[in-house]
Amino acid sequence: MAFDVETVRQDFPALAQSVNGHPLVYLDSAASVQKPQLVVECESQFTLHHYAAVHRGVHTLSANATTLMEEVRQKAADFLHAKSQDEIIFVKGTTEGINLVANSFGRQFINDGDNIVITEMEHHANIVPWFMLAEEIGCEIRVLPILDDGSLDLSQLDTLIDQRTKLLSFTHISNVLGTVNPVKKIIQQARSIAIEKEGDLAILVDGAQGAMHQIVDVQALDCDFYVFSGHKLYGPTGIGILYGKKSRLEKMPPWEGGGAMIRQVSFTTGITFADIPWRFEAGTPNISGIIGLGAAFDYLNQLGLANAFAHEKQIIEYASELLQQVPSLRLYGNNQREGVIAFNLGEHHAYDIGAFLDRYGIAIRTGHHCAMPLMERYNVPAMCRASVGVYTQKHDIEALYNALLRIKKLLG
């Protein structure tokens, strides 16, 4: 079935508005996608009519809310092709998911003298937690560099990974360059190196951009952890998913303590913790957010993931071709990018370009994109970034192109 973007756009009320007297052109989906009406209504209806605290409640509303929440856990497992819903942990988002792994797996299995390998293209959420851990326990952070075209220099893996490498953590798709990393190939290569050097390597994939642009099969990838945020997947903010292999999760201690994550608490006999995944979900969860995320899964399945992602890829390819025609505009990364396209216009600061575009109702992201090491790599203080969603149309890209031409003429 053909993908009808005009019909899809009708599902997103926010896209019908005007900004500064111009029809809104929303090209900031990598930061946060707009929400379809189905998700908003589903979350609202639950909050208005079915809300209750989950787990342990014997009354009907609580039991029903618990059932609905656990159904979303299964939907998340299906979305990621996980073996079991026990491998799905509800977190606030990608950032909390990575911090959970750093504080639970990291403190348990990484010691002074060990090392962690990350890459030069990572978001701060996949850099800062590891540096905090390293400062605490004394492990080393090693960085896999990128090539000029924005792809990872995989030839360096054999040098970086050794017997004391405990974790490799890298992004599925760069949130700045749109580089699609060959995740399965990287994991196979890294595991082979670790086995040869008699190491025990765990692998985490930051899927914040990956899950929103590609079909993910965590079993086929053979990653130990995969994490993404709901608000980048047409769901609410404040909710995300951490997938972890059952064999890894069962050996990890809780990170946060409180209600819902315990089996028994006693001043005399001590504390025993709940089974996975609940031992990692202390306190009252974001129940309405979880329900909204479930609706987002339903929405994407209704659209057809393959068709939706193919449409996005066509839009990015169109943007790459068109923007190259803007005089003095520099694109970053290579032409195999997905989801995002980063650029600068001449010597003008990205903030100025973003402010000018906003006058025409065009929303893009400007700045360092929580990737300061990547800005250093390209020797720029900031970049402009346009990013797409299932609702992005060629007209949006043409509006950006024409506005950049006007800006170029005005600023020189």
mmCIF file with all atom_site columns, all heavy atoms in Angstrom, residues 5 34 37 44 61 109 123 154 186 228 232 244 247 274 350 365 378 392 397:
data_model
loop_
_atom_site.group_PDB
_atom_site.id
_atom_site.type_symbol
_atom_site.label_atom_id
_atom_site.label_alt_id
_atom_site.label_comp_id
_atom_site.label_asym_id
_atom_site.label_entity_id
_atom_site.label_seq_id
_atom_site.pdbx_PDB_ins_code
_atom_site.Cartn_x
_atom_site.Cartn_y
_atom_site.Cartn_z
_atom_site.occupancy
_atom_site.B_iso_or_equiv
_atom_site.pdbx_formal_charge
_atom_site.auth_seq_id
_atom_site.auth_comp_id
_atom_site.auth_asym_id
_atom_site.auth_atom_id
_atom_site.pdbx_PDB_model_num
ATOM 1   N N   . VAL A 1 5   ? 1.227   10.651  2.650  1.00 0.00 ? 5   VAL A N   1
ATOM 2   C CA  . VAL A 1 5   ? 1.663   11.580  3.681  1.00 0.00 ? 5   VAL A CA  1
ATOM 3   C C   . VAL A 1 5   ? 0.603   12.633  3.982  1.00 0.00 ? 5   VAL A C   1
ATOM 4   O O   . VAL A 1 5   ? 0.491   13.103  5.129  1.00 0.00 ? 5   VAL A O   1
ATOM 5   C CB  . VAL A 1 5   ? 3.011   12.241  3.291  1.00 0.00 ? 5   VAL A CB  1
ATOM 6   C CG1 . VAL A 1 5   ? 2.849   13.165  2.091  1.00 0.00 ? 5   VAL A CG1 1
ATOM 7   C CG2 . VAL A 1 5   ? 3.612   12.988  4.476  1.00 0.00 ? 5   VAL A CG2 1
ATOM 8   N N   . GLN A 1 34  ? 6.086   15.427  16.753 1.00 0.00 ? 34  GLN A N   1
ATOM 9   C CA  . GLN A 1 34  ? 4.721   15.803  17.098 1.00 0.00 ? 34  GLN A CA  1
ATOM 10  C C   . GLN A 1 34  ? 3.919   14.546  17.433 1.00 0.00 ? 34  GLN A C   1
ATOM 11  O O   . GLN A 1 34  ? 4.282   13.433  17.044 1.00 0.00 ? 34  GLN A O   1
ATOM 12  C CB  . GLN A 1 34  ? 4.079   16.560  15.937 1.00 0.00 ? 34  GLN A CB  1
ATOM 13  C CG  . GLN A 1 34  ? 4.709   17.907  15.661 1.00 0.00 ? 34  GLN A CG  1
ATOM 14  C CD  . GLN A 1 34  ? 4.566   18.880  16.829 1.00 0.00 ? 34  GLN A CD  1
ATOM 15  O OE1 . GLN A 1 34  ? 3.582   18.838  17.566 1.00 0.00 ? 34  GLN A OE1 1
ATOM 16  N NE2 . GLN A 1 34  ? 5.557   19.746  17.003 1.00 0.00 ? 34  GLN A NE2 1
ATOM 17  N N   . GLN A 1 37  ? -3.101  12.481  17.124 1.00 0.00 ? 37  GLN A N   1
ATOM 18  C CA  . GLN A 1 37  ? -4.275  12.657  17.976 1.00 0.00 ? 37  GLN A CA  1
ATOM 19  C C   . GLN A 1 37  ? -4.624  11.371  18.720 1.00 0.00 ? 37  GLN A C   1
ATOM 20  O O   . GLN A 1 37  ? -5.089  11.410  19.860 1.00 0.00 ? 37  GLN A O   1
ATOM 21  C CB  . GLN A 1 37  ? -5.470  13.122  17.131 1.00 0.00 ? 37  GLN A CB  1
ATOM 22  C CG  . GLN A 1 37  ? -6.639  13.593  17.966 1.00 0.00 ? 37  GLN A CG  1
ATOM 23  C CD  . GLN A 1 37  ? -7.484  14.616  17.241 1.00 0.00 ? 37  GLN A CD  1
ATOM 24  O OE1 . GLN A 1 37  ? -7.068  15.173  16.232 1.00 0.00 ? 37  GLN A OE1 1
ATOM 25  N NE2 . GLN A 1 37  ? -8.661  14.868  17.756 1.00 0.00 ? 37  GLN A NE2 1
ATOM 26  N N   . SER A 1 44  ? -5.234  10.747  27.410 1.00 0.00 ? 44  SER A N   1
ATOM 27  C CA  . SER A 1 44  ? -6.229  11.565  28.100 1.00 0.00 ? 44  SER A CA  1
ATOM 28  C C   . SER A 1 44  ? -7.382  10.721  28.631 1.00 0.00 ? 44  SER A C   1
ATOM 29  O O   . SER A 1 44  ? -7.817  10.887  29.782 1.00 0.00 ? 44  SER A O   1
ATOM 30  C CB  . SER A 1 44  ? -6.766  12.643  27.154 1.00 0.00 ? 44  SER A CB  1
ATOM 31  O OG  . SER A 1 44  ? -7.795  13.391  27.767 1.00 0.00 ? 44  SER A OG  1
ATOM 32  N N   . LEU A 1 61  ? -10.237 -0.788  39.271 1.00 0.00 ? 61  LEU A N   1
ATOM 33  C CA  . LEU A 1 61  ? -9.486  0.206   38.509 1.00 0.00 ? 61  LEU A CA  1
ATOM 34  C C   . LEU A 1 61  ? -7.986  -0.092  38.552 1.00 0.00 ? 61  LEU A C   1
ATOM 35  O O   . LEU A 1 61  ? -7.290  0.010   37.542 1.00 0.00 ? 61  LEU A O   1
ATOM 36  C CB  . LEU A 1 61  ? -9.747  1.615   39.054 1.00 0.00 ? 61  LEU A CB  1
ATOM 37  C CG  . LEU A 1 61  ? -11.048 2.291   38.632 1.00 0.00 ? 61  LEU A CG  1
ATOM 38  C CD1 . LEU A 1 61  ? -11.140 3.683   39.251 1.00 0.00 ? 61  LEU A CD1 1
ATOM 39  C CD2 . LEU A 1 61  ? -11.153 2.383   37.116 1.00 0.00 ? 61  LEU A CD2 1
ATOM 40  N N   . PHE A 1 109 ? 30.061  -4.661  37.556 1.00 0.00 ? 109 PHE A N   1
ATOM 41  C CA  . PHE A 1 109 ? 30.945  -5.468  36.718 1.00 0.00 ? 109 PHE A CA  1
ATOM 42  C C   . PHE A 1 109 ? 32.167  -4.733  36.162 1.00 0.00 ? 109 PHE A C   1
ATOM 43  O O   . PHE A 1 109 ? 33.017  -5.349  35.527 1.00 0.00 ? 109 PHE A O   1
ATOM 44  C CB  . PHE A 1 109 ? 30.156  -6.064  35.544 1.00 0.00 ? 109 PHE A CB  1
ATOM 45  C CG  . PHE A 1 109 ? 29.084  -7.018  35.985 1.00 0.00 ? 109 PHE A CG  1
ATOM 46  C CD1 . PHE A 1 109 ? 27.758  -6.638  35.977 1.00 0.00 ? 109 PHE A CD1 1
ATOM 47  C CD2 . PHE A 1 109 ? 29.415  -8.291  36.416 1.00 0.00 ? 109 PHE A CD2 1
ATOM 48  C CE1 . PHE A 1 109 ? 26.762  -7.514  36.390 1.00 0.00 ? 109 PHE A CE1 1
ATOM 49  C CE2 . PHE A 1 109 ? 28.430  -9.182  36.831 1.00 0.00 ? 109 PHE A CE2 1
ATOM 50  C CZ  . PHE A 1 109 ? 27.099  -8.791  36.820 1.00 0.00 ? 109 PHE A CZ  1
ATOM 51  N N   . HIS A 1 123 ? 25.851  11.218  21.602 1.00 0.00 ? 123 HIS A N   1
ATOM 52  C CA  . HIS A 1 123 ? 25.091  12.220  22.343 1.00 0.00 ? 123 HIS A CA  1
ATOM 53  C C   . HIS A 1 123 ? 25.646  12.273  23.764 1.00 0.00 ? 123 HIS A C   1
ATOM 54  O O   . HIS A 1 123 ? 26.168  11.277  24.271 1.00 0.00 ? 123 HIS A O   1
ATOM 55  C CB  . HIS A 1 123 ? 23.613  11.796  22.348 1.00 0.00 ? 123 HIS A CB  1
ATOM 56  C CG  . HIS A 1 123 ? 22.663  12.790  22.938 1.00 0.00 ? 123 HIS A CG  1
ATOM 57  N ND1 . HIS A 1 123 ? 22.532  12.981  24.295 1.00 0.00 ? 123 HIS A ND1 1
ATOM 58  C CD2 . HIS A 1 123 ? 21.775  13.623  22.349 1.00 0.00 ? 123 HIS A CD2 1
ATOM 59  C CE1 . HIS A 1 123 ? 21.589  13.894  24.516 1.00 0.00 ? 123 HIS A CE1 1
ATOM 60  N NE2 . HIS A 1 123 ? 21.120  14.312  23.351 1.00 0.00 ? 123 HIS A NE2 1
ATOM 61  N N   . LEU A 1 154 ? 35.979  1.759   11.984 1.00 0.00 ? 154 LEU A N   1
ATOM 62  C CA  . LEU A 1 154 ? 35.893  0.449   12.620 1.00 0.00 ? 154 LEU A CA  1
ATOM 63  C C   . LEU A 1 154 ? 37.228  -0.286  12.641 1.00 0.00 ? 154 LEU A C   1
ATOM 64  O O   . LEU A 1 154 ? 37.392  -1.256  13.393 1.00 0.00 ? 154 LEU A O   1
ATOM 65  C CB  . LEU A 1 154 ? 34.830  -0.402  11.916 1.00 0.00 ? 154 LEU A CB  1
ATOM 66  C CG  . LEU A 1 154 ? 33.408  0.163   11.971 1.00 0.00 ? 154 LEU A CG  1
ATOM 67  C CD1 . LEU A 1 154 ? 32.433  -0.770  11.266 1.00 0.00 ? 154 LEU A CD1 1
ATOM 68  C CD2 . LEU A 1 154 ? 32.970  0.392   13.416 1.00 0.00 ? 154 LEU A CD2 1
ATOM 69  N N   . ILE A 1 186 ? 29.078  -4.249  13.675 1.00 0.00 ? 186 ILE A N   1
ATOM 70  C CA  . ILE A 1 186 ? 29.922  -3.757  14.764 1.00 0.00 ? 186 ILE A CA  1
ATOM 71  C C   . ILE A 1 186 ? 29.892  -4.733  15.941 1.00 0.00 ? 186 ILE A C   1
ATOM 72  O O   . ILE A 1 186 ? 30.929  -5.058  16.535 1.00 0.00 ? 186 ILE A O   1
ATOM 73  C CB  . ILE A 1 186 ? 29.464  -2.355  15.214 1.00 0.00 ? 186 ILE A CB  1
ATOM 74  C CG1 . ILE A 1 186 ? 29.732  -1.329  14.106 1.00 0.00 ? 186 ILE A CG1 1
ATOM 75  C CG2 . ILE A 1 186 ? 30.169  -1.941  16.501 1.00 0.00 ? 186 ILE A CG2 1
ATOM 76  C CD1 . ILE A 1 186 ? 29.136  0.034   14.371 1.00 0.00 ? 186 ILE A CD1 1
ATOM 77  N N   . PHE A 1 228 ? 15.595  3.535   24.091 1.00 0.00 ? 228 PHE A N   1
ATOM 78  C CA  . PHE A 1 228 ? 15.038  4.637   23.297 1.00 0.00 ? 228 PHE A CA  1
ATOM 79  C C   . PHE A 1 228 ? 13.993  5.395   24.102 1.00 0.00 ? 228 PHE A C   1
ATOM 80  O O   . PHE A 1 228 ? 13.532  4.930   25.156 1.00 0.00 ? 228 PHE A O   1
ATOM 81  C CB  . PHE A 1 228 ? 14.446  4.139   21.971 1.00 0.00 ? 228 PHE A CB  1
ATOM 82  C CG  . PHE A 1 228 ? 13.221  3.273   22.112 1.00 0.00 ? 228 PHE A CG  1
ATOM 83  C CD1 . PHE A 1 228 ? 11.951  3.828   22.179 1.00 0.00 ? 228 PHE A CD1 1
ATOM 84  C CD2 . PHE A 1 228 ? 13.338  1.897   22.158 1.00 0.00 ? 228 PHE A CD2 1
ATOM 85  C CE1 . PHE A 1 228 ? 10.827  3.036   22.304 1.00 0.00 ? 228 PHE A CE1 1
ATOM 86  C CE2 . PHE A 1 228 ? 12.217  1.086   22.274 1.00 0.00 ? 228 PHE A CE2 1
ATOM 87  C CZ  . PHE A 1 228 ? 10.956  1.657   22.349 1.00 0.00 ? 228 PHE A CZ  1
ATOM 88  N N   . LYS A 1 232 ? 10.329  10.472  21.052 1.00 0.00 ? 232 LYS A N   1
ATOM 89  C CA  . LYS A 1 232 ? 10.893  10.460  19.700 1.00 0.00 ? 232 LYS A CA  1
ATOM 90  C C   . LYS A 1 232 ? 10.200  9.411   18.828 1.00 0.00 ? 232 LYS A C   1
ATOM 91  O O   . LYS A 1 232 ? 10.540  9.245   17.659 1.00 0.00 ? 232 LYS A O   1
ATOM 92  C CB  . LYS A 1 232 ? 12.400  10.189  19.755 1.00 0.00 ? 232 LYS A CB  1
ATOM 93  C CG  . LYS A 1 232 ? 13.183  11.271  20.500 1.00 0.00 ? 232 LYS A CG  1
ATOM 94  C CD  . LYS A 1 232 ? 14.662  10.966  20.497 1.00 0.00 ? 232 LYS A CD  1
ATOM 95  C CE  . LYS A 1 232 ? 15.439  11.922  21.402 1.00 0.00 ? 232 LYS A CE  1
ATOM 96  N NZ  . LYS A 1 232 ? 15.430  13.322  20.930 1.00 0.00 ? 232 LYS A NZ  1
ATOM 97  N N   . GLY A 1 244 ? 17.042  -5.185  27.992 1.00 0.00 ? 244 GLY A N   1
ATOM 98  C CA  . GLY A 1 244 ? 18.255  -5.837  28.453 1.00 0.00 ? 244 GLY A CA  1
ATOM 99  C C   . GLY A 1 244 ? 18.110  -7.336  28.316 1.00 0.00 ? 244 GLY A C   1
ATOM 100 O O   . GLY A 1 244 ? 17.047  -7.903  28.611 1.00 0.00 ? 244 GLY A O   1
ATOM 101 N N   . SER A 1 247 ? 19.740  -12.633 30.638 1.00 0.00 ? 247 SER A N   1
ATOM 102 C CA  . SER A 1 247 ? 20.934  -13.160 31.303 1.00 0.00 ? 247 SER A CA  1
ATOM 103 C C   . SER A 1 247 ? 21.771  -12.056 31.938 1.00 0.00 ? 247 SER A C   1
ATOM 104 O O   . SER A 1 247 ? 22.464  -12.274 32.938 1.00 0.00 ? 247 SER A O   1
ATOM 105 C CB  . SER A 1 247 ? 21.788  -13.948 30.307 1.00 0.00 ? 247 SER A CB  1
ATOM 106 O OG  . SER A 1 247 ? 22.187  -13.128 29.216 1.00 0.00 ? 247 SER A OG  1
ATOM 107 N N   . ALA A 1 274 ? 12.536  -7.655  44.040 1.00 0.00 ? 274 ALA A N   1
ATOM 108 C CA  . ALA A 1 274 ? 11.609  -8.274  43.101 1.00 0.00 ? 274 ALA A CA  1
ATOM 109 C C   . ALA A 1 274 ? 12.373  -8.865  41.922 1.00 0.00 ? 274 ALA A C   1
ATOM 110 O O   . ALA A 1 274 ? 13.551  -8.575  41.701 1.00 0.00 ? 274 ALA A O   1
ATOM 111 C CB  . ALA A 1 274 ? 10.590  -7.243  42.611 1.00 0.00 ? 274 ALA A CB  1
ATOM 112 N N   . ALA A 1 350 ? 24.944  29.210  13.369 1.00 0.00 ? 350 ALA A N   1
ATOM 113 C CA  . ALA A 1 350 ? 23.729  28.403  13.242 1.00 0.00 ? 350 ALA A CA  1
ATOM 114 C C   . ALA A 1 350 ? 22.539  29.047  13.938 1.00 0.00 ? 350 ALA A C   1
ATOM 115 O O   . ALA A 1 350 ? 21.403  28.978  13.440 1.00 0.00 ? 350 ALA A O   1
ATOM 116 C CB  . ALA A 1 350 ? 23.981  27.004  13.826 1.00 0.00 ? 350 ALA A CB  1
ATOM 117 N N   . ARG A 1 365 ? 16.520  22.740  14.505 1.00 0.00 ? 365 ARG A N   1
ATOM 118 C CA  . ARG A 1 365 ? 17.307  22.772  15.733 1.00 0.00 ? 365 ARG A CA  1
ATOM 119 C C   . ARG A 1 365 ? 18.671  23.371  15.428 1.00 0.00 ? 365 ARG A C   1
ATOM 120 O O   . ARG A 1 365 ? 19.261  23.088  14.377 1.00 0.00 ? 365 ARG A O   1
ATOM 121 C CB  . ARG A 1 365 ? 17.468  21.348  16.268 1.00 0.00 ? 365 ARG A CB  1
ATOM 122 C CG  . ARG A 1 365 ? 18.225  21.191  17.560 1.00 0.00 ? 365 ARG A CG  1
ATOM 123 C CD  . ARG A 1 365 ? 17.538  21.659  18.809 1.00 0.00 ? 365 ARG A CD  1
ATOM 124 N NE  . ARG A 1 365 ? 16.107  21.504  18.860 1.00 0.00 ? 365 ARG A NE  1
ATOM 125 C CZ  . ARG A 1 365 ? 15.382  21.685  19.960 1.00 0.00 ? 365 ARG A CZ  1
ATOM 126 N NH1 . ARG A 1 365 ? 15.981  22.010  21.088 1.00 0.00 ? 365 ARG A NH1 1
ATOM 127 N NH2 . ARG A 1 365 ? 14.087  21.563  19.923 1.00 0.00 ? 365 ARG A NH2 1
ATOM 128 N N   . TYR A 1 378 ? 34.580  18.648  13.931 1.00 0.00 ? 378 TYR A N   1
ATOM 129 C CA  . TYR A 1 378 ? 34.382  19.403  12.690 1.00 0.00 ? 378 TYR A CA  1
ATOM 130 C C   . TYR A 1 378 ? 34.791  20.876  12.826 1.00 0.00 ? 378 TYR A C   1
ATOM 131 O O   . TYR A 1 378 ? 34.595  21.664  11.901 1.00 0.00 ? 378 TYR A O   1
ATOM 132 C CB  . TYR A 1 378 ? 32.925  19.297  12.233 1.00 0.00 ? 378 TYR A CB  1
ATOM 133 C CG  . TYR A 1 378 ? 32.608  17.940  11.622 1.00 0.00 ? 378 TYR A CG  1
ATOM 134 C CD1 . TYR A 1 378 ? 31.957  16.966  12.364 1.00 0.00 ? 378 TYR A CD1 1
ATOM 135 C CD2 . TYR A 1 378 ? 32.973  17.639  10.313 1.00 0.00 ? 378 TYR A CD2 1
ATOM 136 C CE1 . TYR A 1 378 ? 31.673  15.717  11.813 1.00 0.00 ? 378 TYR A CE1 1
ATOM 137 C CE2 . TYR A 1 378 ? 32.693  16.406  9.753  1.00 0.00 ? 378 TYR A CE2 1
ATOM 138 C CZ  . TYR A 1 378 ? 32.044  15.444  10.513 1.00 0.00 ? 378 TYR A CZ  1
ATOM 139 O OH  . TYR A 1 378 ? 31.774  14.213  9.967  1.00 0.00 ? 378 TYR A OH  1
ATOM 140 N N   . THR A 1 392 ? 6.530   14.397  7.445  1.00 0.00 ? 392 THR A N   1
ATOM 141 C CA  . THR A 1 392 ? 7.291   15.362  6.649  1.00 0.00 ? 392 THR A CA  1
ATOM 142 C C   . THR A 1 392 ? 7.045   15.130  5.165  1.00 0.00 ? 392 THR A C   1
ATOM 143 O O   . THR A 1 392 ? 7.044   13.996  4.691  1.00 0.00 ? 392 THR A O   1
ATOM 144 C CB  . THR A 1 392 ? 8.794   15.248  6.944  1.00 0.00 ? 392 THR A CB  1
ATOM 145 O OG1 . THR A 1 392 ? 8.998   15.284  8.367  1.00 0.00 ? 392 THR A OG1 1
ATOM 146 C CG2 . THR A 1 392 ? 9.560   16.388  6.296  1.00 0.00 ? 392 THR A CG2 1
ATOM 147 N N   . ILE A 1 397 ? 10.616  20.483  2.733  1.00 0.00 ? 397 ILE A N   1
ATOM 148 C CA  . ILE A 1 397 ? 12.018  20.615  2.322  1.00 0.00 ? 397 ILE A CA  1
ATOM 149 C C   . ILE A 1 397 ? 12.177  21.770  1.332  1.00 0.00 ? 397 ILE A C   1
ATOM 150 O O   . ILE A 1 397 ? 13.155  22.534  1.408  1.00 0.00 ? 397 ILE A O   1
ATOM 151 C CB  . ILE A 1 397 ? 12.516  19.303  1.690  1.00 0.00 ? 397 ILE A CB  1
ATOM 152 C CG1 . ILE A 1 397 ? 12.321  18.135  2.660  1.00 0.00 ? 397 ILE A CG1 1
ATOM 153 C CG2 . ILE A 1 397 ? 13.970  19.433  1.273  1.00 0.00 ? 397 ILE A CG2 1
ATOM 154 C CD1 . ILE A 1 397 ? 12.979  18.299  4.009  1.00 0.00 ? 397 ILE A CD1 1
#
